[in-house]
Amino acid sequence: MIYKNVLIIAAHPDDESIGAGGTLARWASEGVNVHTLFIADGVGSRHGKSIEVTELKSRRRAAKMALDILGLTNKPTFFDFPDNKLDTIPLLKIVQSIEFMIQYIRPDTVLTHHAGDLNIDHRRVHQAVLTACRPQPGHPVRQLLFFEVASSTEWQTPGSGPTFMPNVFIDISDTMDRKRAALSAYEYELRPWPHARSIDAVEHLARWRGASVGVAAAEAFMLGRLIQ
């Protein structure tokens, strides 16, 4: 396994905990150096400017609280590109911003969204990460993993995008409780059961992903690239 210096690149604060919170908590407990980058602000598409500023601060506080719960010690980076409008930003601008972070952090492993998500920001981030992680000589990234986000990945209809077909499963049996606690930090983003973005739904998914490979709980990923 590579997992020594990891960068998770998420479109919005909460995507990291939904898609990979248990894995991040496990890696942090094992001494892996985990960094977090959020591309979009996560709130700008909702209200007017006065409310947006308040919500932006609240969303950042929630993100920092969630990462603390997961045991991540590195401060997160927020780019604050406009929420649900990443398709209006030149791809090159997003790519260059990510490239700067990769050269600064020099991660061996990058986690990001799956290409088939319904959310436009998720898809845009996926494309930008792939571009920023082109396997050129001397590039630090040796492994790309794509995670699923409940209430986005599974909402894409057949034929409208590539299907999430996981082939990497990480056992989070010992960190499932921390994943739930981290999700609780995003209380304003969560919905009551049986919504797909409820804590129970996210846990049910982790339990099913675990059962499919014979463990109590797991997070599933698609391997994009592995250089050994």
Side-chain angles (χ1 to χ4, degrees):
M1 293 295 181
I2 295 176
Y3 315 139
K4 292 181 180 178
N5 193 33
V6 172
L7 173 62
I8 180 166
I9 304 175
H12 317 103
D14 79 350
D15 291 334
E16 84 296 340
S17 293
I18 295 173
T23 297
L24 299 180
R26 173 178 168 175
W27 286 348
S29 70
E30 294 173 348
V32 177
N33 193 22
V34 181
H35 305 265
T36 311
L37 169 61
F38 298 112
I39 302 298
D41 59 44
V43 298
S45 65
R46 300 179 181 180
H47 304 291
K49 284 188 176 180
S50 60
I51 300 178
E52 178 185 332
V53 171
T54 301
E55 288 200 358
L56 178 60
K57 291 180 179 178
S58 177
R59 192 75 176 263
R60 283 192 172 191
R61 284 195 300 270
K64 292 173 182 176
M65 184 184 303
L67 298 179
D68 284 345
I69 291 170
L70 295 176
L72 276 60
T73 57
N74 293 307
K75 292 182 179 180
T77 299
F78 301 89
F79 279 172
D80 289 339
F81 283 110
D83 178 50
N84 275 291
K85 294 181 180 179
L86 290 185
D87 56 329
T88 68
I89 306 298
L91 183 63
L92 179 60
K93 185 174 182 179
I94 304 174
V95 170
Q96 289 176 334
S97 298
I98 293 172
E99 286 178 332
F100 174 82
M101 289 300 297
I102 288 175
Q103 288 306 311
Y104 176 70
I105 295 171
R106 299 196 64 79
D108 50 64
T109 298
V110 167
L111 281 68
T112 197
H113 295 274
H114 177 249
D117 275 20
L118 181 62
N119 186 284
I120 183 62
D121 286 354
H122 295 184
R123 298 199 304 272
R124 194 72 164 168
V125 168
H126 173 91
Q127 187 61 49
V129 170
L130 285 189
T131 307
C133 292
R134 302 182 302 281
Q136 303 175 82
H139 199 282
V141 177
R142 311 289 290 179
Q143 181 170 222
L144 284 172
L145 291 173
F146 308 136
F147 55 80
E148 59 185 330
V149 176
S151 78
S152 178
T153 309
E154 82 283 2
W155 282 356
Q156 183 67 280
T157 57
S160 298
T163 302
F164 182 76
M165 300 179 67
N167 52 5
V168 175
F169 296 82
I170 296 180
D171 187 349
I172 62 165
S173 302
D174 294 334
T175 54
M176 185 66 229
D177 288 345
R178 286 165 69 182
K179 179 183 175 81
R180 283 186 62 105
L183 288 170
S184 296
Y186 294 108
E187 57 179 324
Y188 295 112
E189 305 304 316
L190 299 173
R191 301 292 182 267
W193 171 263
H195 195 285
R197 205 180 333 126
S198 64
I199 290 182
D200 286 344
V202 174
E203 177 163 1
H204 290 328
L205 176 60
R207 298 297 183 189
W208 169 246
R209 292 303 190 193
S212 68
V213 292
V215 299
E219 285 171 338
F221 303 85
M222 283 185 65
L223 179 63
R225 181 183 302 124
L226 175 60
I227 304 173
Q228 292 184 323

